[in-house]
Amino acid sequence: MESPSSRLRRVLGGLCVALLFLTALSIEDGSLVVTDEDSSNSDDLAMAFPILAGIFGLLYLSITRAGAGEYGRHFMDRWISRESEEEMTSRLRVEQDEASVDEMGTAWAELEKGHLEESLGEEE
């Protein structure tokens, strides 16, 4: 199974191509004026297409270039995992073992013990 970042890369690539196509249609229609020609039909909203295409393109390039790097060093690793399913499963199992409920129960019991000793010491 592929990683979530490769799926996101595919979606961003598709969005970028679609927005570039809409930009070309806006230029052809006259809604997006590139040169100082007749701007009577221009639409300010048409500028959103190339701007979004640029943003999505930069995100696509960023994720593509970060693919070979170490996990956790890219700014989008907090939201989108670049790990394969096997790597992610093993990492999550290790994290689950580190945050074991048994250790939490022991820490909670120690905290309660300290609190009870303080409250009993104040009553005497």
Side-chain angles (χ1 to χ4, degrees), residues 9-57:
R9 198 169 46 237
R10 192 176 329 126
V11 168
L12 287 174
L15 283 172
C16 190
V17 168
L19 286 169
L20 288 175
F21 180 70
L22 287 173
T23 300
L25 286 177
S26 296
I27 292 171
E28 175 64 29
D29 183 39
S31 298
L32 183 62
V33 178
V34 179
T35 60
D36 292 327
E37 296 175 4
D38 181 26
S39 62
S40 61
N41 197 24
S42 69
D43 185 12
D44 293 336
L45 189 60
M47 277 302 292
F49 299 139
I51 291 171
L52 287 174
I55 291 170
F56 292 154

Side-chain angles (χ1 to χ4, degrees), residues 50-70:
I51 291 171
L52 287 174
I55 291 170
F56 292 154
L58 288 174
L59 285 173
Y60 176 84
L61 290 174
S62 176
I63 291 173
T64 302
R65 294 192 76 186
E70 179 183 337

Side-chain angles (χ1 to χ4, degrees), residues 48-102:
F49 299 139
I51 291 171
L52 287 174
I55 291 170
F56 292 154
L58 288 174
L59 285 173
Y60 176 84
L61 290 174
S62 176
I63 291 173
T64 302
R65 294 192 76 186
E70 179 183 337
Y71 179 75
R73 305 211 21 115
H74 191 260
F75 74 98
M76 288 188 68
D77 284 344
R78 292 180 292 211
W79 303 296
I80 305 295
S81 176
R82 290 185 288 132
E83 299 172 303
S84 67
E85 187 175 356
E86 296 82 25
E87 292 172 346
M88 191 184 319
T89 303
S90 65
R91 180 180 57 84
L92 290 174
R93 284 197 178 132
V94 167
E95 287 179 8
Q96 187 178 22
D97 290 340
E98 288 175 358
S100 175
V101 177
D102 298 334

